[in-house]
Amino acid sequence: MDTANERDLEIERRQAVIAILESTASKKLIVAGPGTGKTYTFKQALEKAGGGVALTFIRALVRDLRADLDDAADIVNTFHGFAKHLLHRRPYGVRPDFSYCPPLPIILARDLTLLGLGRLAAADIDSAFQQLDDSRGLIKESVQLGDYYNAVGHNDVVYRVLRCFEEFPNEIPQYPLVVVDEYQDFNPLETGLIETLARRSPVLIAGDDDQALYFRKNASPKYIRELAMDSTFAKFPLPFCSRCTQVIVDAVNNVIERALANGNLAGRLDKPFACYLPGKLKVSERHPTIIHAHCSVESSTNPYIARYVSEQIAQIPIEDVAASREGRYPTALVIGTGEFVKPVFEHLRTRFPNVKQAGGRRAELTLLEAYRLLAWDPGSRLGWRIALELDPPPNLDGFLTRVLEGELELTQNLPAGFSDRHLPLAESVQQLIAEEEISVQDQTVLERLLGLSVEQIRRALRPTDDEEAEDKLGDPEEPTIVCSTMVSAKGLSAEHVFIVGFNDGHFPRNPRAITDYEICCLLVALSRTRTQCHVVSCGRWKGQTPNRVSAFRNWLGVPIDETTRNAAHWNANPPR
């Protein structure tokens, strides 16, 4: 690339940011692809505004945003963490010392079923809040039960804040600027709160409908598309990707073109997406292709995919390891559906020191949480309710129905012997929280009941600093490796990316009926790549009929290096 062209691209990229910063609009929308400089733009906008709030739905992004935005933002948080902060400042229904209990809907579903609202699951409660749909009375009754337990979960914490601001508009906080990222992942409940905040604060919203993956929480790309059509919003592009190489940018654009031709991504927002060659030319020249590795088999006795990934990671240059450390992102990222990622993770963790799993941890009730609550407050209704759920006495449903319908005090009507069984264990947990020793007998009972060693219990009770834990990886000369589901790869990037299970029947599930969700998964997976991308398929999976290579291979439309891994290869090159 000659100097003149390089200078022109630099000017064009800078002008895209300047247009956003100099706009006097109070509502701004950035529609841009991955790696296009949204975080840099956020920082510039926050500094110009004199501070503000930065929010994202993706937990993995919060740490990076906090580091990158430095002192520019007053608050950097996940959306739900921010809602929790607001509810502590202005409690609505619950007391200021409310418990934040993500699995609360599990309890609410059983309670509301017993109260006659139909046979319910936790997902029904979540969906009602997410869609602001109280046609069955689930929101109203859940809020009342939350008041009773003095507890909130992920969704009702947002709902309470939203309703508080609707009832008391003077309570809506005012900020110099509210920055919102990943708007395509928001649902009606969350967009409602952003709209409310925008009444008193300027907003800068960013998103990409090509990366909409959170359909399970009733999020939809239609909300960012609606903003793009809203005349009260000024719209801006960020056209240049500084993360990906030329071949990856080309593959992303080709996949989008094929998807549209296939009838997918209806209503998609058109956006420019070009490789920023002044920063990516050299690495693009070193890695002009995507690698397709076809493994002859994949099974527990012949984990060829895991062996291939391990083999390639072992060959990553030390310069790439150093670059990933400096940039605070993984050296290698393994992405795929669970049936392929899990065995790769189990294989890699025995061969490399710095291997982690990224993935949604399902919100689960635990007796340890019940004991933690009871350690602080022996009269905690939520603590006792969790204990009842996990260690149910005879005729639990009858007991709960009597308490709930009679509006009785739960803690004063516990089944005979229940308090005597659990309160001493809560007292032992209180001692562990205070870092005191407990008797061997109490230790044995706790370990048996919780299925954890006393040291694991201590660690679980100890407040953790995610940033500090992230920095305590092992040998700095060894690659850092993250294994992730498709959805959890959002917010991540790596020098080397491995998309495993690249087969019809897995990804996509049905090549004759490819879904928007699968296309967005592919776009997210590809665009995590900073240096080299591998797509890894297998011939036979667990001894089944031979699998076809993914139909997505032909969608990539870029140069692909083909390589195979079979018994002959491993006999000649024994795995590490």
Side-chain angles (χ1 to χ4, degrees), residues 13 17 20-21 30 32-47 54-56 58 60-70 72-73 76 177 179-182 204-207 238 240 242-243 327-328 491-493 530:
R13 185 174 71 158
V17 175
I20 297 168
L21 299 178
I30 299 172
T36 51
K38 290 188 288 291
T39 301
Y40 172 81
T41 306
F42 294 161
K43 182 173 183 179
Q44 298 298 308
L46 287 162
E47 286 179 345
L55 306 174
T56 179
I58 302 173
L61 283 175
V62 170
R63 178 177 181 268
D64 290 338
L65 282 174
R66 284 176 178 161
D68 292 335
L69 297 182
D70 196 18
V76 180
L177 179 65
V179 169
V180 182
D181 197 11
E182 304 292 338
L204 173 59
I205 294 174
L238 287 173
F240 293 107
S242 300
R243 174 195 298 166
R328 305 191 314 274
L492 300 175
S493 67
R530 292 176 175 271

Side-chain angles (χ1 to χ4, degrees), residues 10 20 37 110 123 136 202 235 539-540 557 564:
E10 289 174 354
I20 297 168
R110 181 195 281 263
R136 298 172 62 187
K235 273 76 72 176
R540 287 183 180 271
T564 59

Side-chain angles (χ1 to χ4, degrees), residues 6 50 70 74 76 82 148 181 191 208 214 216 227 255 317 353 407 440 456 465 560:
E6 184 172 333
D70 196 18
D74 303 302
V76 180
F82 178 63
Y148 178 76
D181 197 11
T191 59
D208 177 9
Y214 288 89
R216 290 183 181 177
L227 286 193
V255 168
E407 299 183 359
V440 174
Q456 288 174 319
D465 185 326
I560 295 177

Side-chain angles (χ1 to χ4, degrees), residues 295-539:
C295 301
S296 59
V297 298
E298 173 63 22
S299 67
S300 58
T301 54
N302 295 294
Y304 285 7
I305 290 179
R307 289 180 186 176
Y308 172 76
V309 174
S310 178
E311 172 191 69
Q312 296 302 304
I313 291 176
Q315 297 173 18
I316 292 176
I318 189 65
E319 293 82 4
D320 290 357
V321 176
S324 66
R325 288 284 185 151
E326 183 178 354
R328 305 191 314 274
Y329 51 78
T331 311
L333 177 60
V334 182
I335 308 173
T337 54
E339 64 264 32
F340 286 97
V341 170
K342 185 175 180 180
V344 174
F345 170 74
E346 295 297 338
H347 183 88
L348 294 177
R349 69 191 299 198
T350 65
R351 288 158 175 80
F352 297 94
N354 306 324
V355 184
K356 289 174 46 180
Q357 269 186 311
R361 290 173 294 177
R362 296 186 63 182
E364 295 180 347
L365 297 170
T366 67
L367 272 176
L368 182 57
E369 177 61 12
Y371 295 156
R372 188 188 67 79
L373 291 166
L374 294 171
W376 291 111
D377 176 14
S380 168
R381 291 170 178 166
L382 180 61
W384 285 117
R385 180 63 185 83
I386 294 173
L388 286 164
E389 189 72 19
L390 298 180
D391 185 29
N395 193 25
L396 172 61
D397 286 354
F399 165 73
L400 288 175
T401 301
R402 181 168 58 86
V403 169
L404 295 170
E405 289 184 345
E407 299 183 359
L408 305 178
E409 173 53 56
L410 175 68
T411 59
Q412 295 176 3
N413 290 274
L414 293 169
F418 196 80
S419 177
D420 293 338
R421 170 175 167 77
H422 290 283
L423 204 52
L425 297 173
E427 292 169 353
S428 296
V429 167
Q430 186 177 38
Q431 291 177 275
L432 294 176
I433 292 172
E435 299 187 355
E436 299 173 357
E437 296 298 322
I438 61 175
S439 70
V440 174
Q441 180 179 354
D442 289 345
Q443 177 177 321
T444 301
V445 174
L446 264 183
E447 290 180 335
R448 177 176 52 80
L449 198 58
L450 300 180
L452 300 170
S453 69
V454 71
E455 185 52 40
Q456 288 174 319
I457 296 170
R458 287 186 189 275
R459 285 201 300 270
L461 292 169
R462 195 175 299 137
T464 58
D465 185 326
D466 290 340
E467 296 185 28
E468 181 180 331
E470 189 80 16
D471 292 335
K472 286 186 175 179
L473 290 169
D475 189 340
E477 295 189 357
E478 288 284 342
T480 52
I481 305 164
V482 173
C483 298
S484 172
T485 62
M486 296 284 189
V487 173
S488 297
K490 288 283 293 289
L492 300 175
S493 67
E495 292 290 325
H496 297 260
V497 168
F498 300 83
I499 306 174
V500 298
F502 207 66
N503 288 91
D504 285 348
H506 297 281
F507 185 55
R509 293 290 180 185
N510 182 351
R512 291 178 295 279
I514 295 174
T515 66
D516 285 0
Y517 172 77
E518 290 170 324
I519 293 166
C520 289
C521 282
L522 177 59
L523 294 172
V524 167
L526 289 170
S527 61
R528 303 308 93 191
T529 309
R530 292 176 175 271
T531 296
Q532 180 72 70
C533 180
H534 305 245
V535 295
V536 191
S537 63
C538 64

